[in-house]
Amino acid sequence: MKFRYRAIDPNGKKVEGEAAAESRKLALSNLKQQGLRVTELAQANQASKATRAKGKISREELLLALSELATLLKSGVPLKDAIDSLIGGERAAALQVAFERWASGLRQGESFSGALRDSGVPVPEYLIQLVRAGELTGEMGSSLQTAVTQMEYEKQIATEMKNALVYPAILCVSGVGAVLLVFTFVVPQFQNLLEHRDKLPALAWAVLASGKWVNSHMAWLVAGTIAIALVLIRVFSLPAVRSRFMDGLQGVPVVGEMIVEAETARWASILAALVGHRVAILDSLDLAKNAVRLPSRRKRLSRVFGQVKSGIPLSESLKENDVITNTGYNLLRAGEKSGDLAHLLRSLAELHSESGRNRMKRFLTLIEPLAILLIGGVIGVIIMGVILAITSANDIVF
């Protein structure tokens, strides 16, 4: 098989080319014997596949690979060797190329957190921050495992939410379809009654007029709906837009509280991991702040960082800037007094995680009956309008 490589020759010049070998390890050995310092080595056909499969790394594959890497690191395997062992596995081509980029960055003297960011792998910001913490403390395996655990938790929450929204989504689609059927096949049969508006009840006239307008502009409605959906998908694919949108939802009852609970739990969990890995409190606050997605909360945490730097206790600063609740304040104050801040931060994270999950379950439980009431109400109003039009037809002289 052939491998494409990039390397540095004995004169310090960058070179690249192809090498034939039975395995990657043998290719690497042959190139080293030629006096080349290899910075990147990938199987030629995998590289072309990865180019076509760019951005196609599934979350499940990524979680599995990161979990394997964390296990290897916790077992004492050096980082470079652990990443090299991942390269030989049977995985998607795009993920293989990501491993190659990680290994290449490390060989060039780059930090793993920098190589991870530069590789373009779709990982959350807090994972990179925790990897940086692991680099500072020498406990990369534990830091990476903490990040993987958080990613698995968020994946589970997202899966639960998607599953719970399936039935309401089906109800809404069915309801819209039913309304369109009524407007398309039933309402047109009574459109001649619109000429006698003065003898029609207001509801009957509104339903018939709406049906006539929908039938006249059906193509534009369908095209407009598709266009709006595509634009919204494109806009909300931008992280900055999603962050601002979620920030604006903080004031919405139930939904806003759920978002705040999730952000507080994530922040407390990451801060607990950093403090637990003996990262200085100011460095921990700075790293944990960067993992927060909501701009308004990030600004508050920036103020907290400045106040703690000036000597104000963390718990008091967090309470003053409305970052945590009274319960959280009491937990952190106890942690500061006992010297076990990491444990109390983990307790705070668990408290908000459980509370946020319960809020989400209550919210999702309400969606189904609300969807039924909404769709049923709309269809009921339309049917009532049609019935009123039918009964009014007896009073109209044609």
Side-chain angles (χ1 to χ4, degrees):
M1 62 182 68
K2 289 186 177 182
F3 294 87
R4 290 199 60 81
Y5 69 86
R6 291 181 181 177
I8 299 174
D9 66 14
N11 298 323
K13 291 181 61 178
K14 293 182 178 180
V15 296
E16 59 180 79
E18 288 190 357
E22 294 181 358
S23 67
R24 184 183 183 280
K25 184 178 290 186
L26 189 57
L28 188 60
S29 176
N30 293 339
L31 291 170
K32 285 182 178 179
Q33 288 176 6
Q34 297 173 28
L36 299 176
R37 182 158 61 88
V38 179
T39 59
E40 187 172 337
L41 181 65
Q43 193 173 331
N45 60 349
Q46 283 187 348
S48 61
K49 288 179 183 177
T51 302
R52 293 193 299 270
K54 186 177 180 181
K56 299 297 183 181
I57 301 175
S58 72
R59 194 174 184 85
E60 290 75 14
E61 285 183 319
L62 181 60
L63 274 172
L64 180 59
L66 292 173
S67 182
E68 289 180 19
L69 181 59
T71 301
L72 290 170
L73 294 174
K74 290 172 70 176
S75 300
V77 179
L79 179 59
K80 291 182 181 179
D81 294 341
I83 292 177
D84 284 340
S85 69
L86 293 178
I87 294 174
E90 294 294 329
R91 294 184 176 89
L95 195 56
Q96 288 283 5
V97 168
F99 295 156
E100 292 283 354
R101 289 174 180 168
W102 297 352
S104 174
L106 292 175
R107 283 192 289 268
Q108 294 177 23
E110 190 177 4
S111 65
F112 181 46
S113 58
L116 191 60
R117 188 187 295 277
D118 294 341
S119 67
V121 177
V123 296
E125 179 65 25
Y126 62 77
L127 184 140
I128 296 175
Q129 303 302 333
L130 283 170
V131 167
R132 285 181 60 192
E135 292 168 343
L136 292 173
T137 62
E139 297 183 1
M140 179 75 75
S142 299
S143 296
L144 188 57
Q145 186 60 60
T146 300
V148 170
T149 301
Q150 181 68 25
M151 287 177 68
E152 289 174 342
Y153 169 75
E154 292 183 357
K155 177 178 175 292
Q156 180 184 356
I157 293 296
T159 301
E160 290 177 0
M161 182 172 289
K162 288 177 182 176
N163 291 340
L165 290 175
V166 168
Y167 184 57
I170 293 174
L171 282 176
C172 290
V173 172
S174 302
V176 171
V179 170
L180 290 177
L181 284 174
V182 171
F183 276 163
T184 303
F185 297 105
V186 178
V187 172
Q189 306 300 321
F190 303 96
Q191 284 183 2
N192 59 330
L193 298 178
L194 288 172
E195 300 173 1
H196 306 276
R197 178 177 179 178
D198 56 329
K199 296 182 179 181
L200 283 176
L203 179 59
W205 182 86
V207 168
L208 295 179
S210 299
K212 181 179 180 180
W213 186 87
V214 168
N215 281 311
S216 301
H217 301 83
M218 182 65 74
W220 286 103
L221 280 174
V222 173
T225 302
I226 293 174
I228 291 172
L230 292 175
V231 169
L232 289 177
I233 291 172
R234 175 59 181 167
V235 168
F236 279 96
S237 67
L238 303 174
V241 174
R242 289 201 305 269
S243 296
R244 292 194 191 97
F245 179 73
M246 291 178 65
D247 210 8
L249 290 177
Q250 288 187 80
V252 178
V254 183
V255 177
E257 295 168 350
M258 192 167 60
I259 292 172
V260 171
E261 294 272 14
E263 285 293 294
T264 305
R266 180 185 295 106
W267 171 82
S269 177
I270 294 168
L271 185 60
L274 295 169
V275 173
H277 291 151
R278 297 185 296 279
V279 180
I281 185 64
L282 288 176
D283 292 335
S284 298
L285 285 171
D286 191 37
L287 291 172
K289 175 198 68 179
N290 293 331
V292 175
R293 294 177 296 185
L294 302 182
S296 62
R297 292 188 70 79
R298 201 178 299 126
K299 287 181 181 178
R300 294 181 199 173
L301 289 169
S302 295
R303 292 196 295 267
V304 169
F305 176 83
Q307 291 176 355
V308 172
K309 190 174 182 179
S310 65
I312 298 176
L314 175 61
S315 57
E316 292 184 11
S317 179
L318 289 170
K319 185 178 180 181
E320 180 182 335
N321 288 280
D322 195 27
V323 177
I324 56 175
T325 60
N326 288 331
T327 302
Y329 167 73
N330 292 330
L331 281 172
L332 295 191
R333 186 173 61 174
E336 289 172 334
K337 290 181 178 179
S338 65
D340 195 8
L341 183 60
H343 175 69
L344 272 300
L345 279 167
R346 278 192 289 271
S347 299
L348 179 64
E350 291 171 2
L351 179 68
H352 281 287
S353 294
E354 188 63 28
S355 177
R357 177 174 285 187
N358 290 334
R359 288 181 190 276
M360 184 191 71
K361 288 180 179 178
R362 289 196 295 269
F363 173 70
L364 294 176
T365 301
L366 287 173
I367 285 182
E368 184 177 325
L370 287 175
I372 293 173
L373 288 173
L374 178 62
I375 298 300
V378 171
I379 294 177
V381 167
I382 293 172
I383 297 301
M384 182 64 69
V386 173
I387 292 173
L388 287 173
I390 294 172
T391 57
S392 300
N394 296 328
D395 300 328
I396 298 175
V397 179
F398 294 97

